[in-house]
Amino acid sequence: GTTAALPTMVGIETLNMYDEDAAFTLSAVDQSSVTTLNLIRGDGGTITTGANVTTVGLTNLTVASVANTANDTVIAFGAASTVVTLNLDRLTHADTDTDENVDINGAALTTVNINASGTKSTVDVLDVAGAATINLDAAVNFTATGLTTSSAAGTLTITGAGAVSLGVLDNGITTVTASGNTGGVTLT
């Protein structure tokens, strides 16, 4: 549904939002205490997290068309965010289109931690902006048709018991370490 007006939040660190499929922004002033944003159900959208959010969770979410763009769930972290975490549980894509992506944006991003837990998750492309350090902890199976970064010397570390299939890796990912993964890793 459409995003309801958010109240001023003081001392609230975790915000859970249900059934959102429209773009919304957390205010750097009115929701400044929020550090973790969880989106539960819905079909994605463009989310501007606010200055202090460093963790976003996507749970039981179907990545679907956002105004027919190629970037179906966009998470825009604050301009000063350097290390962020994306938690995935039951993330799926809507149909056979190849543009049901999750894009993580942030001008200063250096490290993106991705945790797949609960039930397996599947997306088309996962884009981690300019992050040079990408850590994927797959407690359950995780599938993407591609993993992209604008970094020229990215390091990908894969751990966990889940099977990981990442399709085509961006040329900017120059080192892959998966010795901590027991579920198996497939790259094309």
Side-chain angles (χ1 to χ4, degrees), residues 1-81:
T2 59
T3 303
L6 294 173
T8 298
M9 297 178 192
V10 177
I12 296 174
E13 296 174 358
T14 300
L15 175 61
N16 296 324
M17 297 186 71
Y18 292 84
D19 302 315
E20 290 301 329
D21 59 7
F24 69 90
T25 299
L26 292 182
S27 166
V29 175
D30 293 335
Q31 291 89 37
S32 64
S33 65
V34 177
T35 59
T36 299
L37 172 64
N38 294 310
L39 301 175
I40 303 155
R41 297 186 307 258
D43 59 13
T46 299
I47 299 106
T48 304
T49 65
N52 297 318
V53 173
T54 58
T55 301
V56 171
L58 304 177
T59 300
N60 195 17
L61 189 128
T62 301
V63 180
S65 179
V66 175
N68 299 314
T69 66
N71 302 317
D72 292 286
T73 296
V74 178
I75 303 165
F77 284 96
S81 297

Side-chain angles (χ1 to χ4, degrees), residues 1-175:
T2 59
T3 303
L6 294 173
T8 298
M9 297 178 192
V10 177
I12 296 174
E13 296 174 358
T14 300
L15 175 61
N16 296 324
M17 297 186 71
Y18 292 84
D19 302 315
E20 290 301 329
D21 59 7
F24 69 90
T25 299
L26 292 182
S27 166
V29 175
D30 293 335
Q31 291 89 37
S32 64
S33 65
V34 177
T35 59
T36 299
L37 172 64
N38 294 310
L39 301 175
I40 303 155
R41 297 186 307 258
D43 59 13
T46 299
I47 299 106
T48 304
T49 65
N52 297 318
V53 173
T54 58
T55 301
V56 171
L58 304 177
T59 300
N60 195 17
L61 189 128
T62 301
V63 180
S65 179
V66 175
N68 299 314
T69 66
N71 302 317
D72 292 286
T73 296
V74 178
I75 303 165
F77 284 96
S81 297
T82 57
V83 178
V84 298
T85 299
L86 178 64
N87 295 320
L88 306 175
D89 178 8
R90 292 175 283 163
L91 189 67
T92 60
H93 51 82
D95 52 38
T96 58
D97 292 342
T98 58
D99 66 347
E100 294 153 342
N101 307 332
V102 174
D103 284 0
I104 300 170
N105 295 341
L109 290 182
T110 59
T111 301
V112 173
N113 300 306
I114 304 157
N115 300 309
S117 63
T119 302
K120 71 178 180 178
S121 289
T122 303
V123 298
D124 286 327
V125 175
L126 179 60
D127 185 338
V128 296
T133 302
I134 307 157
N135 299 309
L136 173 57
D137 182 5
V140 298
N141 294 357
F142 177 75
T143 301
T145 59
L147 177 62
T148 62
T149 178
S150 60
S151 171
T155 299
L156 170 63
T157 302
I158 303 170
T159 58
V164 175
S165 177
L166 293 177
V168 178
L169 287 185
D170 191 280
N171 289 335
I173 299 172
T174 56
T175 303

